[in-house]
Structures are given as C-alpha cells and as structure tokens.
Amino acid sequence: MLDNEVYELSGSWTVLLEWLPVTRWQMHVLYGLLHPLDAERLSDRLDDGDDPLTREEVRAVAERVVAQATGRTWWVAQRLYATLAASWGELDGRMSLRGVELAALLPNPARACNLVHAWLVDGADDSARRKLDMQLQRPPAGMSKRQAVAAWSPQEAGRAFMSAMRSQADAGGRAPAAVA
C-alpha cells in the first residue's frame, strides 16, 4: 500500500540483482516489481504536480519492500546483492559444483541474501564473522543512528522475519545443506 492505494507487486525479484547494487536504486526496483498498469499509475501520480505523493515516500516504500523481502535492512541487502553481482561467476561455479542453480534462488531474495552471507562467512572464525556482520550492518553514510533505528524498528524486523520465513516456506522450505 502506498498513500492509501494498493499496488500489485507482480514483477520478478531478479530485478534486485540488476538495480539494488546501484545508487538511487529505489525507483528502479519498485517499478520493476510493480504490475505494469500500477507502474504507469504511479508514474502518472508522480508526474502530477497536484498529487501530494512524493518521490521520497515512494523511495521509503521501496526500502521497506526490500527489507521485508530479504529479512534484512535495505542497506544490508544492498551490500549482499552488490557482492552477489560482483562475484556471480565464482558463486555460480561453486553452487553448480554442489548441484545448486544460483539463478533459481533469485526469485527468493531472503535465500539469495542467505547464500551470499553464508559464502562470505564460510570458514571465518567468530571474530572475523562479527567484523563482517558489523560492516554489513553499518548504516549508509549520511544516515543517523536514529534514522537507522527507525528504518528497522522491532515491529519492522518482526514483519521482515515473518515475510522471509513465508518466502522460504513458499519456496519449498529449507535450503539444501550445501547452500545453507
């Protein structure tokens, strides 16, 4: 729901791989996820100078959508997807050797993030893992601690967790041991 209007998300989550790693990704991701008619309606609203809907509100919705789909703050998801995009060849090869089709995980953003995170911490000791997690969770430059907390309230974290769990169940449950 955006500004008391319902918009249908019918696009593919694969749009995250293309757009989430770039600066000012929010509009691209949201338009890529929206049903084409809803994307057109949203575009018309944003172009209408009399409509109170702002681009900042739309960007905030895109950030919440990504957080709920991945089970992480949008900036953690962005860093994980940037790693996925930059390391696609290696990760695809490693997963192929284990019988896992990496591209098949893209429709499930939570699992895609889980895979990248697991790959990054594979073999790391507790100290290295904590350091990586701190780097991933560090709010983006220019975002205050208050904004970061507001972006990821306990309620938001709970909703994102439940959404990620539902997407795991919808995808057939637990990932194979080679991916987990």
Side-chain angles (χ1 to χ4, degrees):
M1 183 171 303
L2 177 63
D3 193 36
N4 294 320
E5 287 192 18
V6 176
Y7 291 82
E8 180 183 352
L9 297 179
S10 64
S12 171
W13 288 106
T14 59
V15 71
L16 295 182
L17 184 61
E18 180 180 0
W19 289 109
L20 191 56
V22 302
T23 305
R24 302 181 85 52
W25 56 270
Q26 293 92 336
M27 300 299 275
H28 296 290
V29 166
L30 195 57
Y31 278 115
L33 290 172
L34 285 174
H35 184 280
L37 294 175
D38 285 339
E40 185 177 329
R41 182 168 47 119
L42 179 60
S43 183
D44 288 346
R45 287 194 63 196
L46 290 171
D47 289 342
D48 181 354
D50 294 328
D51 193 306
L53 183 65
T54 67
R55 292 188 186 283
E56 290 75 28
E57 290 171 306
V58 174
R59 286 185 190 105
V61 167
E63 291 168 359
R64 285 194 304 274
V65 166
V66 166
Q68 289 178 356
T70 63
R72 294 160 169 80
T73 61
W74 65 262
W75 57 88
V76 171
Q78 183 181 48
R79 291 171 181 147
L80 292 171
Y81 266 88
T83 301
L84 178 59
S87 306
W88 182 269
E90 181 178 352
L91 271 171
D92 186 45
R94 287 177 184 257
M95 294 301 102
S96 292
L97 289 172
R98 294 178 176 151
V100 176
E101 179 65 36
L102 184 56
L105 298 179
L106 293 179
N108 187 322
R111 290 188 70 199
C113 286
N114 290 345
L115 177 125
V116 175
H117 186 265
W119 177 64
L120 289 171
V121 299
D122 187 37
D125 63 18
D126 287 343
S127 175
R129 184 182 176 127
R130 278 192 303 277
K131 182 178 178 181
L132 173 74
D133 286 339
M134 284 178 28
Q135 290 172 333
L136 284 172
Q137 294 169 11
R138 184 184 68 248
M143 180 181 274
S144 70
K145 287 182 182 180
R146 180 178 291 155
Q147 290 170 315
V149 169
W152 200 245
S153 68
Q155 295 83 5
E156 192 73 31
R159 283 192 299 271
F161 174 76
M162 292 308 294
S163 175
M165 294 307 294
R166 278 192 302 278
S167 67
Q168 284 256 353
D170 292 345
R174 188 170 144 74
V179 179

